[in-house]
Amino acid sequence: MEFRIERRVFAEAVGWAVRGAATRPVVPVLGGVLVEAGDEGRVRVTGFDHEVCARAEADAGVGAAGRVVVPGARLLDVCRVLPDAPVECGIEDGRLVVRCGGARFGLAVLPAGEYPALPAPAPALGTVGAREWAAAVGQVASAAARDVTVPVLTALQLDFDGESLTLAATDRYRYAQRTLPWEAAGRGAGTITVPARRLGELCRVLAKHAGQGPVRLGHGDTFSLATADGAFAASLRPLAGRLPAARKLFALGAPARAVLARAPLEEALRRVAVVAEPGNPVALSFEPGGSVLLGAGTEADDTASQRLDAETVPAEPMTVAFNAAYLLDALTALQDHARIHLALQGPGGRAVVSGSEEPRDAREAQGSEGARYAHRHLLMALRDA
């Protein structure tokens, strides 16, 4: 195998592929990346740990076709220190030799015959804007559980039909949901659950490679995503199970409502939460005069408070308390909105945090474009403020 390729192009391909390689492999070959040079003048670099497969390909001057598996982390380290010059790779004495601008590296190879078979391409689902997609995944995935005791709670669930794509995640204590417009491939409706953390990592990087273009989504035995030109692609193994239905959870009946400016609320929350021990609440006390008092801490410990003006407050005085980290995650995810709408059931009840007012009934929901492409977070208010 011999090929010549631009340094930046090769480094980007290796950097992407390493995201599919195992970081602590039980089987050493799963920590490697598969480098393939084809007769068609393309080089492909792939990482696959049986759960995620990340593949990048690029044009190259191929002198001899072939394939080799090398430790992914080590190859990436080499790419990061190469000088700005064309890269030449080839097999010499059982090693992958990398030459660039006078520098030479000889890397030990792994047994290519033990590398697992790669997943088949998934049938197309549709396309979605790369930046909007990456932002939505990041905003919703923050609500997914970290504990793998119940695997489906670590997932991001995708519900799709011919008009919209809805992302959802929950860890039992909160539920995040966002709906995006997309260009469906005409395969009807369906639901997919995929690992939220790994999907989020892939989407952040893929959006940079996609630029202003769309991301292609697919679903078969795996869930796949790729840039429009296919140069960067990944697939994830779906998880079994589904999340609780959001419709009933978000139906609060006749809640009290409040509207506040988002940025001042987020700043005040960060400020008073400094004295809140992990897991302790931050209380929001709404007063009929049009203000809200944020408070944290106890009389036996440090305390902090700050008062803010509010556009709308509940008709009667109300104090609700939230896990500070959960509320802050919701406000951060809604950073594109100038105002925050709160629908409150009261202490110990559910609360919906959104960037636009929730529709009051089904008919309004169907007719409101803003509600149709909603972004909202459900939190449980704590009983003790």
Side-chain angles (χ1 to χ4, degrees):
M1 180 185 73
E2 294 179 3
F3 63 88
R4 180 184 175 92
I5 190 170
E6 292 298 321
R7 185 203 61 82
R8 178 187 61 80
V9 173
F10 189 50
E12 288 180 349
V14 173
W16 174 253
V18 164
R19 295 181 178 277
T23 54
R24 296 181 179 87
V26 177
V27 180
V29 74
L30 295 182
V33 292
L34 174 64
V35 181
E36 300 173 283
D39 293 326
E40 73 282 8
R42 301 280 284 178
V43 167
R44 284 174 291 276
V45 188
T46 306
F48 180 40
D49 65 357
H50 288 297
E51 292 186 357
V52 172
C53 179
R55 188 208 75 239
E57 59 179 84
D59 291 329
V62 177
R67 65 201 304 261
V68 66
V69 178
V70 293
R74 178 55 53 85
L75 181 58
L76 182 58
D77 287 342
V78 168
C79 288
R80 285 171 172 163
V81 298
L82 290 176
D84 188 13
V87 178
E88 297 178 350
C89 296
I91 302 297
E92 296 180 14
D93 298 326
R95 290 175 174 267
L96 176 66
V97 174
V98 181
R99 293 186 175 88
C100 180
R104 180 187 184 279
F105 296 86
L107 305 182
V109 302
L110 299 168
E114 297 180 10
Y115 202 75
L118 302 180
L125 279 178
T127 60
V128 63
R131 292 183 178 179
E132 294 83 359
W133 165 251
V137 169
Q139 291 160 349
V140 173
S142 63
R146 305 285 180 174
D147 184 357
V148 298
T149 304
V150 184
V152 73
L153 295 182
T154 67
L156 188 147
Q157 180 169 293
L158 306 173
D159 293 290
F160 58 90
D161 56 29
E163 297 182 356
S164 62
L165 177 65
T166 299
L167 297 77
T170 181
D171 61 1
R172 287 197 186 99
Y173 307 105
R174 50 184 171 164
Y175 198 118
Q177 184 185 66
R178 184 172 177 186
T179 301
L180 296 173
W182 75 323
E183 294 292 333
R187 294 181 56 205
T191 298
I192 312 164
T193 53
V194 293
R197 181 183 62 82
R198 300 204 70 177
L199 179 63
E201 293 170 353
L202 291 169
C203 289
R204 284 194 299 271
V205 180
L206 191 69
K208 297 177 182 178
H209 292 307
Q212 299 295 329
V215 168
R216 294 191 282 112
L217 306 181
H219 181 224
D221 293 334
T222 62
F223 172 71
S224 68
L225 55 158
T227 55
D229 60 4
F232 296 88
S235 62
L236 299 90
R237 185 175 66 182
L239 298 173
R242 294 190 179 187
L243 300 183
R247 185 182 299 274
K248 292 183 179 180
L249 292 175
F250 280 93
L252 304 188
R257 296 182 180 274
V259 181
L260 298 91
R262 189 203 59 80
L265 177 60
E266 182 179 344
E267 291 173 5
L269 178 60
R270 292 184 185 277
R271 195 168 291 126
V272 301
V274 167
V275 302
E277 296 297 327
N280 286 355
V282 168
L284 280 67
S285 298
F286 296 95
E287 301 175 0
S291 67
V292 58
L293 179 67
L294 280 72
T298 63
E299 294 182 358
D301 206 340
D302 300 326
T303 62
S305 64
Q306 182 169 345
R307 187 177 301 277
L308 297 174
D309 292 331
E311 294 183 29
T312 304
V313 295
E316 300 293 333
M318 176 184 290
T319 297
V320 289
F322 298 100
N323 178 298
Y326 292 172
L327 180 56
L328 188 58
D329 281 347
L331 296 178
T332 303
L334 292 162
Q335 60 185 314
D336 292 337
H337 298 271
R339 299 187 302 167
I340 293 298
H341 292 254
L342 299 173
L344 307 164
Q345 285 186 323
R350 286 168 288 161
V352 174
V353 186
S354 65
S356 59
E357 191 169 2
E358 293 296 304
R360 302 303 176 93
D361 55 37
R363 181 165 50 187
E364 184 178 341
Q366 292 174 356
S368 170
E369 191 73 9
R372 207 169 134 222
Y373 298 123
H375 180 190
R376 53 189 184 170
H377 290 247
L378 180 76
L379 306 177
M380 288 301 301
L382 306 178
R383 291 192 180 277
D384 296 325

